[in-house]
Coordinates of all heavy atoms in Angstrom, one line a residue:
M155 N -37.3 63.8 -14.8 CA -37.4 62.6 -13.9 C -38.8 62.3 -13.8 O -39.6 63.0 -13.2 CB -36.8 62.9 -12.5 CG -35.3 63.2 -12.5 SD -34.7 63.3 -10.9 CE -33.4 64.5 -11.1
T156 N -39.2 61.2 -14.3 CA -40.5 60.8 -14.6 C -41.3 60.5 -13.3 O -40.8 59.6 -12.5 CB -40.6 59.6 -15.6 OG1 -39.8 59.9 -16.7 CG2 -42.0 59.3 -16.0
G157 N -42.3 61.2 -13.0 CA -43.2 60.9 -11.9 C -42.7 61.1 -10.5 O -43.3 60.6 -9.6
L158 N -41.7 61.9 -10.4 CA -41.2 62.0 -9.0 C -41.8 63.2 -8.3 O -41.8 63.3 -7.1 CB -39.7 62.2 -9.0 CG -38.8 61.0 -9.4 CD1 -37.4 61.3 -9.3 CD2 -39.2 59.8 -8.7
G159 N -42.3 64.2 -9.1 CA -42.8 65.4 -8.5 C -41.6 66.5 -8.2 O -40.5 66.1 -8.3
W160 N -42.0 67.6 -7.7 CA -41.0 68.7 -7.5 C -40.1 68.3 -6.3 O -38.8 68.4 -6.5 CB -41.6 70.0 -7.3 CG -42.2 70.6 -8.5 CD1 -43.6 70.5 -8.9 CD2 -41.6 71.2 -9.6 NE1 -43.7 71.1 -10.1 CE2 -42.5 71.5 -10.5 CE3 -40.2 71.5 -9.8 CZ2 -42.2 72.2 -11.8 CZ3 -39.9 72.2 -11.0 CH2 -40.9 72.5 -12.0
I161 N -40.6 67.9 -5.3 CA -39.8 67.7 -4.1 C -38.9 66.4 -4.3 O -37.7 66.4 -4.0 CB -40.7 67.4 -2.8 CG1 -41.5 68.7 -2.5 CG2 -39.9 67.1 -1.6 CD1 -40.8 69.9 -2.2
G162 N -39.5 65.4 -4.9 CA -38.7 64.2 -5.3 C -37.5 64.5 -6.3 O -36.4 63.9 -6.1
T163 N -37.8 65.4 -7.2 CA -36.8 65.8 -8.1 C -35.6 66.5 -7.5 O -34.5 66.2 -7.7 CB -37.4 66.6 -9.3 OG1 -38.4 65.9 -9.9 CG2 -36.4 67.1 -10.3
L164 N -36.0 67.4 -6.6 CA -34.9 68.1 -5.8 C -34.1 67.2 -4.9 O -32.9 67.2 -4.9 CB -35.5 69.2 -4.9 CG -36.1 70.4 -5.7 CD1 -36.8 71.4 -4.7 CD2 -35.0 71.1 -6.5
I165 N -34.8 66.2 -4.3 CA -34.1 65.3 -3.4 C -33.2 64.3 -4.3 O -32.0 64.1 -4.0 CB -35.1 64.5 -2.6 CG1 -35.7 65.4 -1.6 CG2 -34.4 63.3 -1.9 CD1 -36.9 64.7 -0.9
V166 N -33.7 63.8 -5.3 CA -32.9 62.9 -6.2 C -31.8 63.6 -6.9 O -30.6 63.2 -7.0 CB -33.8 62.2 -7.2 CG1 -33.0 61.5 -8.3 CG2 -34.8 61.2 -6.6
G167 N -32.0 64.9 -7.4 CA -31.0 65.7 -7.9 C -29.9 66.0 -7.0 O -28.8 66.0 -7.4
A168 N -30.3 66.4 -5.7 CA -29.2 66.7 -4.8 C -28.4 65.4 -4.4 O -27.1 65.5 -4.4 CB -29.8 67.2 -3.5
L169 N -29.0 64.3 -4.3 CA -28.3 63.1 -3.9 C -27.4 62.7 -5.2 O -26.3 62.2 -5.0 CB -29.3 61.9 -3.7 CG -29.9 62.0 -2.3 CD1 -31.0 61.0 -2.1 CD2 -28.9 61.8 -1.2
A170 N -28.0 62.7 -6.3 CA -27.2 62.4 -7.6 C -26.0 63.3 -7.7 O -24.9 62.9 -8.1 CB -28.1 62.3 -8.8
G171 N -26.2 64.6 -7.6 CA -25.1 65.5 -7.6 C -24.0 65.3 -6.6 O -22.8 65.4 -6.9
W172 N -24.4 64.9 -5.4 CA -23.5 64.6 -4.3 C -22.6 63.4 -4.7 O -21.5 63.3 -4.5 CB -24.2 64.4 -3.0 CG -23.3 64.1 -1.9 CD1 -22.4 64.9 -1.3 CD2 -23.1 62.8 -1.3 NE1 -21.7 64.2 -0.3 CE2 -22.1 62.9 -0.3 CE3 -23.7 61.6 -1.6 CZ2 -21.7 61.8 0.4 CZ3 -23.3 60.5 -0.8 CH2 -22.4 60.6 0.2
I173 N -23.4 62.3 -5.2 CA -22.7 61.2 -5.6 C -21.7 61.4 -6.8 O -20.5 60.9 -6.7 CB -23.7 60.1 -6.1 CG1 -24.5 59.5 -4.8 CG2 -23.1 58.8 -6.9 CD1 -25.8 58.7 -5.2
A174 N -22.1 62.2 -7.8 CA -21.2 62.5 -8.8 C -20.0 63.4 -8.3 O -18.9 63.2 -8.8 CB -22.0 63.3 -9.9
E175 N -20.3 64.2 -7.4 CA -19.2 65.0 -6.7 C -18.2 64.1 -6.1 O -17.0 64.4 -6.3 CB -19.8 66.0 -5.7 CG -18.9 66.9 -5.0 CD -19.5 67.7 -3.9 OE1 -20.5 67.3 -3.3 OE2 -19.0 68.8 -3.6
M176 N -18.6 63.1 -5.4 CA -17.8 62.1 -4.8 C -17.0 61.3 -5.8 O -15.8 61.1 -5.7 CB -18.5 61.3 -3.8 CG -19.1 61.9 -2.6 SD -17.8 62.7 -1.6 CE -18.4 64.4 -1.5
I177 N -17.6 61.0 -6.8 CA -17.0 60.0 -7.9 C -16.0 60.8 -8.6 O -14.9 60.4 -8.9 CB -18.1 59.4 -8.8 CG1 -19.0 58.4 -8.1 CG2 -17.4 58.8 -10.0 CD1 -20.1 57.9 -8.8
M178 N -16.3 62.0 -9.1 CA -15.5 62.8 -10.0 C -14.5 63.7 -9.2 O -13.8 64.4 -9.7 CB -16.4 63.8 -10.8 CG -17.3 62.9 -11.8 SD -16.5 61.9 -12.9 CE -15.8 63.0 -14.0
K179 N -14.6 63.7 -7.9 CA -13.7 64.5 -6.9 C -13.7 65.9 -7.3 O -12.7 66.5 -7.5 CB -12.3 63.9 -7.0 CG -12.3 62.4 -6.7 CD -11.0 62.1 -6.0 CE -10.9 60.6 -5.7 NZ -11.9 59.8 -5.3
T180 N -15.0 66.5 -7.2 CA -15.1 67.9 -7.4 C -15.5 68.6 -6.1 O -15.9 67.8 -5.2 CB -16.1 68.3 -8.5 OG1 -17.4 67.8 -8.1 CG2 -15.7 67.7 -9.8
N181 N -15.5 69.9 -6.0 CA -16.0 70.5 -4.9 C -17.1 71.5 -5.1 O -16.7 72.7 -5.4 CB -14.8 71.2 -4.1 CG -15.1 71.8 -2.8 OD1 -16.2 71.4 -2.2 ND2 -14.4 72.6 -2.2
T182 N -18.3 71.1 -5.2 CA -19.4 71.9 -5.6 C -20.3 72.0 -4.4 O -20.3 71.2 -3.5 CB -20.2 71.4 -6.8 OG1 -20.7 70.1 -6.4 CG2 -19.3 71.3 -8.0
G183 N -21.2 73.0 -4.4 CA -22.1 73.2 -3.3 C -23.4 72.6 -3.5 O -23.6 71.8 -4.5
L184 N -24.3 72.7 -2.5 CA -25.6 72.0 -2.6 C -26.4 72.5 -3.8 O -26.9 71.5 -4.5 CB -26.4 72.3 -1.3 CG -27.8 71.7 -1.3 CD1 -27.8 70.2 -1.4 CD2 -28.5 72.2 0.0
L185 N -26.5 73.8 -4.1 CA -27.2 74.2 -5.3 C -26.6 73.7 -6.6 O -27.4 73.2 -7.4 CB -27.2 75.8 -5.3 CG -28.0 76.3 -6.4 CD1 -29.5 75.9 -6.3 CD2 -27.9 77.9 -6.4
M186 N -25.3 73.6 -6.7 CA -24.8 73.1 -7.9 C -25.0 71.6 -8.0 O -25.1 71.1 -9.1 CB -23.3 73.4 -8.0 CG -22.6 73.1 -9.3 SD -23.4 74.1 -10.5 CE -22.5 73.7 -12.0
N187 N -24.9 70.9 -6.9 CA -25.3 69.4 -6.9 C -26.7 69.2 -7.4 O -26.9 68.3 -8.2 CB -25.2 68.8 -5.5 CG -23.6 68.7 -5.1 OD1 -22.8 68.7 -5.9 ND2 -23.4 68.4 -3.8
I188 N -27.6 70.0 -7.0 CA -29.0 69.9 -7.4 C -29.1 70.1 -8.9 O -29.7 69.3 -9.7 CB -30.0 70.8 -6.6 CG1 -30.0 70.4 -5.2 CG2 -31.3 70.8 -7.3 CD1 -30.8 71.3 -4.2
V189 N -28.5 71.1 -9.4 CA -28.5 71.5 -10.8 C -27.8 70.4 -11.6 O -28.4 70.0 -12.7 CB -27.8 72.9 -11.0 CG1 -27.6 73.1 -12.5 CG2 -28.6 74.0 -10.4
L190 N -26.6 69.9 -11.2 CA -26.0 68.8 -11.9 C -26.8 67.6 -12.0 O -26.9 66.9 -13.0 CB -24.6 68.6 -11.3 CG -23.5 69.5 -11.7 CD1 -22.3 69.2 -10.8 CD2 -23.1 69.4 -13.1
G191 N -27.5 67.2 -10.8 CA -28.3 66.0 -10.7 C -29.5 66.1 -11.7 O -29.7 65.1 -12.4
I192 N -30.2 67.2 -11.7 CA -31.3 67.4 -12.5 C -31.0 67.4 -14.1 O -31.5 66.7 -14.9 CB -32.2 68.7 -12.1 CG1 -32.7 68.4 -10.7 CG2 -33.2 69.0 -13.1 CD1 -33.4 69.6 -10.1
L193 N -29.9 68.2 -14.4 CA -29.5 68.3 -15.7 C -29.0 67.0 -16.2 O -29.1 66.6 -17.4 CB -28.4 69.4 -16.0 CG -29.0 70.8 -15.9 CD1 -27.9 71.8 -16.1 CD2 -30.1 71.1 -16.9
G194 N -28.2 66.3 -15.3 CA -27.7 65.0 -15.7 C -28.8 64.0 -16.0 O -28.7 63.2 -16.9
A195 N -29.8 64.0 -15.2 CA -30.9 63.1 -15.4 C -31.6 63.4 -16.7 O -32.0 62.5 -17.5 CB -31.9 63.2 -14.3
V196 N -31.8 64.6 -17.1 CA -32.4 65.1 -18.2 C -31.6 64.6 -19.5 O -32.1 64.1 -20.4 CB -32.7 66.6 -18.3 CG1 -33.1 67.1 -19.8 CG2 -33.7 67.1 -17.3
V197 N -30.3 64.9 -19.4 CA -29.5 64.5 -20.6 C -29.4 63.0 -20.7 O -29.6 62.5 -21.8 CB -28.0 65.1 -20.3 CG1 -27.0 64.5 -21.3 CG2 -28.1 66.6 -20.4
L198 N -29.1 62.3 -19.6 CA -29.0 60.8 -19.8 C -30.4 60.1 -20.2 O -30.4 59.2 -20.8 CB -28.3 60.2 -18.6 CG -27.8 58.8 -18.8 CD1 -26.8 58.7 -20.0 CD2 -27.2 58.2 -17.6
N199 N -31.4 60.7 -19.6 CA -32.8 60.1 -20.0 C -33.1 60.3 -21.4 O -33.6 59.4 -22.1 CB -33.9 60.7 -19.1 CG -34.1 60.1 -17.8 OD1 -34.1 58.9 -17.7 ND2 -34.4 60.8 -16.7
A200 N -32.6 61.5 -22.0 CA -32.9 61.7 -23.4 C -31.9 60.7 -24.2 O -32.4 60.2 -25.2 CB -32.5 63.2 -23.7
I201 N -30.8 60.6 -23.8 CA -29.8 59.6 -24.6 C -30.4 58.2 -24.5 O -30.5 57.5 -25.5 CB -28.5 59.7 -23.9 CG1 -27.8 61.1 -24.3 CG2 -27.6 58.5 -24.5 CD1 -26.5 61.3 -23.6
L202 N -30.8 57.7 -23.3 CA -31.3 56.4 -23.1 C -32.6 56.2 -23.9 O -32.8 55.2 -24.5 CB -31.6 56.1 -21.7 CG -30.4 55.9 -20.7 CD1 -30.9 55.7 -19.3 CD2 -29.7 54.6 -21.2
F203 N -33.4 57.2 -24.0 CA -34.7 57.1 -24.7 C -34.5 57.1 -26.2 O -35.1 56.3 -26.9 CB -35.6 58.2 -24.3 CG -37.1 58.0 -24.9 CD1 -37.9 57.1 -24.2 CD2 -37.5 58.7 -26.0 CE1 -39.2 56.9 -24.7 CE2 -38.8 58.4 -26.5 CZ -39.6 57.5 -25.8
A204 N -33.5 57.8 -26.6 CA -33.1 57.8 -28.0 C -32.5 56.5 -28.5 O -32.7 56.0 -29.6 CB -32.2 59.0 -28.4
V205 N -31.7 55.9 -27.7 CA -30.9 54.8 -28.0 C -31.8 53.5 -27.7 O -31.9 52.6 -28.5 CB -29.6 54.6 -27.3 CG1 -28.9 53.2 -27.4 CG2 -28.7 55.7 -27.7
L206 N -32.3 53.4 -26.6 CA -33.0 52.1 -26.2 C -34.6 52.2 -26.3 O -35.2 51.2 -26.2 CB -32.6 51.9 -24.7 CG -31.2 51.5 -24.4 CD1 -31.0 51.3 -22.8 CD2 -30.6 50.4 -25.2
G207 N -35.1 53.4 -26.3 CA -36.5 53.6 -26.3 C -37.2 53.6 -24.9 O -38.4 53.6 -24.8
T208 N -36.4 53.6 -23.9 CA -36.9 53.5 -22.5 C -35.9 54.0 -21.6 O -34.7 54.2 -22.0 CB -37.3 52.1 -22.1 OG1 -38.0 52.1 -20.8 CG2 -36.2 51.2 -22.1
T209 N -36.3 54.4 -20.4 CA -35.3 54.7 -19.3 C -35.7 53.9 -18.1 O -36.6 53.2 -18.0 CB -35.4 56.3 -19.0 OG1 -36.7 56.5 -18.4 CG2 -35.3 57.1 -20.3
L210 N -34.8 54.1 -17.0 CA -35.0 53.5 -15.8 C -36.1 54.2 -15.0 O -36.1 55.4 -15.0 CB -33.7 53.4 -15.0 CG -32.6 52.6 -15.6 CD1 -31.3 52.8 -14.6 CD2 -32.9 51.2 -15.8
G211 N -37.0 53.5 -14.4 CA -38.1 54.0 -13.7 C -37.8 54.0 -12.2 O -37.0 53.4 -11.6
G212 N -38.7 54.7 -11.4 CA -38.7 54.8 -10.0 C -37.6 55.6 -9.4 O -36.7 56.2 -10.1
W213 N -37.6 55.8 -8.1 CA -36.6 56.6 -7.4 C -35.2 56.2 -7.6 O -34.3 56.9 -7.9 CB -36.9 56.7 -5.9 CG -38.2 57.5 -5.6 CD1 -39.4 57.1 -5.9 CD2 -38.1 58.7 -5.0 NE1 -40.3 58.2 -5.4 CE2 -39.5 59.2 -4.8 CE3 -37.1 59.6 -4.4 CZ2 -39.9 60.4 -4.3 CZ3 -37.5 60.7 -3.8 CH2 -38.9 61.1 -3.8
I214 N -35.0 54.8 -7.4 CA -33.6 54.3 -7.5 C -33.1 54.4 -8.9 O -31.9 54.8 -9.2 CB -33.6 52.9 -7.0 CG1 -34.0 52.7 -5.5 CG2 -32.2 52.2 -7.1 CD1 -33.2 53.5 -4.5
G215 N -33.9 54.0 -9.9 CA -33.6 54.1 -11.3 C -33.2 55.5 -11.7 O -32.2 55.7 -12.4
Q216 N -34.0 56.4 -11.3 CA -33.7 57.8 -11.7 C -32.5 58.4 -10.9 O -31.7 59.2 -11.4 CB -34.9 58.7 -11.4 CG -36.0 58.6 -12.4 CD -35.5 58.8 -13.8 OE1 -35.0 59.9 -14.1 NE2 -35.7 57.8 -14.7
L217 N -32.3 57.9 -9.7 CA -31.0 58.3 -9.0 C -29.8 57.7 -9.7 O -28.8 58.5 -9.8 CB -31.0 57.7 -7.6 CG -29.8 58.1 -6.6 CD1 -29.7 59.5 -6.5 CD2 -30.0 57.3 -5.3
I218 N -29.8 56.6 -10.2 CA -28.7 56.0 -11.0 C -28.5 56.8 -12.3 O -27.4 57.2 -12.6 CB -28.9 54.5 -11.3 CG1 -28.9 53.7 -10.0 CG2 -27.9 54.0 -12.3 CD1 -29.4 52.3 -10.1
V219 N -29.6 57.1 -13.0 CA -29.5 57.8 -14.2 C -28.9 59.2 -14.0 O -28.1 59.7 -14.7 CB -30.9 57.8 -14.9 CG1 -30.8 58.8 -16.1 CG2 -31.3 56.4 -15.4
A220 N -29.5 59.9 -13.0 CA -29.0 61.2 -12.7 C -27.6 61.4 -12.3 O -26.8 62.2 -12.7 CB -29.9 61.8 -11.6
A221 N -27.1 60.4 -11.4 CA -25.7 60.4 -11.0 C -24.8 60.1 -12.2 O -23.8 60.8 -12.4 CB -25.5 59.3 -9.9
A222 N -25.1 59.2 -13.1 CA -24.4 58.9 -14.2 C -24.4 60.1 -15.1 O -23.3 60.5 -15.7 CB -24.8 57.7 -15.0
G223 N -25.5 60.7 -15.4 CA -25.5 61.8 -16.2 C -24.8 63.1 -15.7 O -24.1 63.8 -16.4
A224 N -24.8 63.2 -14.3 CA -24.0 64.4 -13.7 C -22.6 64.1 -13.9 O -21.7 65.0 -14.2 CB -24.4 64.4 -12.3
C225 N -22.1 62.8 -13.7 CA -20.7 62.5 -14.0 C -20.3 62.8 -15.5 O -19.3 63.4 -15.8 CB -20.4 61.0 -13.7 SG -20.4 60.6 -12.1
L226 N -21.3 62.5 -16.4 CA -21.0 62.9 -17.9 C -20.8 64.4 -18.0 O -20.0 64.8 -18.7 CB -22.1 62.3 -18.7 CG -22.1 60.9 -19.1 CD1 -23.4 60.5 -19.8 CD2 -21.0 60.5 -19.9
L227 N -21.7 65.1 -17.4 CA -21.6 66.6 -17.5 C -20.4 67.1 -16.9 O -19.7 68.0 -17.5 CB -22.8 67.2 -16.8 CG -24.2 67.1 -17.5 CD1 -25.3 67.6 -16.6 CD2 -24.2 67.6 -18.9
I228 N -20.0 66.7 -15.7 CA -18.7 67.1 -15.2 C -17.5 66.8 -16.1 O -16.6 67.6 -16.3 CB -18.5 66.4 -13.8 CG1 -19.5 67.0 -12.8 CG2 -17.0 66.6 -13.3 CD1 -19.5 66.2 -11.4
A229 N -17.5 65.6 -16.6 CA -16.4 65.1 -17.5 C -16.5 66.0 -18.8 O -15.4 66.4 -19.4 CB -16.6 63.7 -17.9
A230 N -17.6 66.3 -19.4 CA -17.7 67.2 -20.5 C -17.2 68.6 -20.2 O -16.4 69.2 -21.1 CB -19.1 67.3 -21.0
V231 N -17.5 69.1 -19.1 CA -17.0 70.5 -18.8 C -15.5 70.5 -18.6 O -14.8 71.3 -19.1 CB -17.7 70.9 -17.5 CG1 -16.9 72.2 -16.9 CG2 -19.1 71.3 -17.7
R232 N -15.0 69.4 -18.0 CA -13.5 69.2 -17.9 C -12.8 69.2 -19.2 O -11.8 69.8 -19.4 CB -13.1 68.0 -17.0 CG -13.4 68.2 -15.6 CD -13.0 67.0 -14.8 NE -13.2 67.2 -13.4 CZ -13.1 66.2 -12.4 NH1 -12.8 65.0 -12.8 NH2 -13.4 66.5 -11.1
M233 N -13.4 68.5 -20.2 CA -12.8 68.3 -21.5 C -12.8 69.6 -22.2 O -11.9 70.0 -22.8 CB -13.5 67.3 -22.3 CG -13.2 65.8 -21.9 SD -14.2 64.6 -22.8 CE -14.1 65.1 -24.4
I234 N -13.9 70.4 -22.0 CA -14.0 71.8 -22.8 C -13.0 72.6 -22.1 O -12.4 73.5 -22.9 CB -15.5 72.3 -22.6 CG1 -16.4 71.4 -23.4 CG2 -15.5 73.7 -23.0 CD1 -17.9 71.7 -23.3
R235 N -12.8 72.7 -20.8 CA -11.9 73.6 -20.2 C -10.5 73.3 -20.5 O -9.7 74.2 -20.6 CB -12.1 73.6 -18.6 CG -13.4 74.3 -18.1 CD -13.3 74.4 -16.7 NE -14.5 75.0 -16.2 CZ -14.8 75.2 -14.9 NH1 -14.1 74.6 -14.0 NH2 -15.9 75.8 -14.6
R236 N -10.1 72.1 -20.8 CA -8.7 71.8 -21.2 C -8.5 72.2 -22.6 O -7.3 72.6 -22.9 CB -8.6 70.2 -21.1 CG -8.4 69.8 -19.6 CD -8.0 68.3 -19.6 NE -8.1 67.9 -18.2 CZ -8.3 66.6 -17.9 NH1 -8.7 65.8 -18.8 NH2 -8.4 66.4 -16.6
E237 N -9.5 72.3 -23.5 CA -9.2 72.7 -24.9 C -9.1 74.1 -25.0 O -8.5 74.6 -25.9 CB -10.3 72.2 -25.8 CG -10.2 70.6 -25.9 CD -11.4 70.1 -26.8 OE1 -12.1 71.0 -27.4 OE2 -11.6 68.9 -26.8
V238 N -9.7 74.9 -24.1 CA -9.7 76.4 -24.2 C -8.5 77.0 -23.6 O -7.7 76.6 -22.9 CB -11.0 76.9 -23.6 CG1 -10.9 78.5 -23.5 CG2 -12.1 76.4 -24.2

């Protein structure tokens, strides 16, 4: 998450994880929400940068990217669990 700092990253990660939790109807805790939000932001920022050459900036932009990335991660884990 570009330019947010440590505290901002934790806040945006927690909010994004919570949003993804509500959208995907999962039951995760605060720590898992933070992890999902941060990892989701990293994954989707990498994808956006590879495809478009840029990402969304600022707090709101990174919140959107992190929530969408967290939803992608939750969906990927669900797909892997169904195959095993």
Side-chain angles (χ1 to χ4, degrees):
M155 292 188 216
T156 311
L158 297 182
W160 288 100
I161 302 296
T163 299
L164 291 175
I165 292 169
V166 169
L169 287 172
W172 178 76
I173 291 168
E175 179 183 29
M176 296 296 125
I177 291 171
M178 300 298 288
K179 304 217 186 318
T180 61
N181 189 15
T182 59
L184 176 63
L185 183 60
M186 192 61 176
N187 284 344
I188 293 171
V189 170
L190 278 172
I192 292 172
L193 286 178
V196 169
V197 168
L198 197 55
N199 273 321
I201 292 170
L202 286 174
F203 193 76
V205 173
L206 301 176
T208 188
T209 63
L210 298 177
W213 285 72
I214 301 297
Q216 286 301 303
L217 180 62
I218 293 167
V219 168
C225 288
L226 281 173
L227 289 177
I228 292 170
V231 167
R232 285 182 179 172
M233 286 175 47
I234 290 170
R235 283 189 180 171
R236 284 187 187 149
E237 291 180 12
V238 173

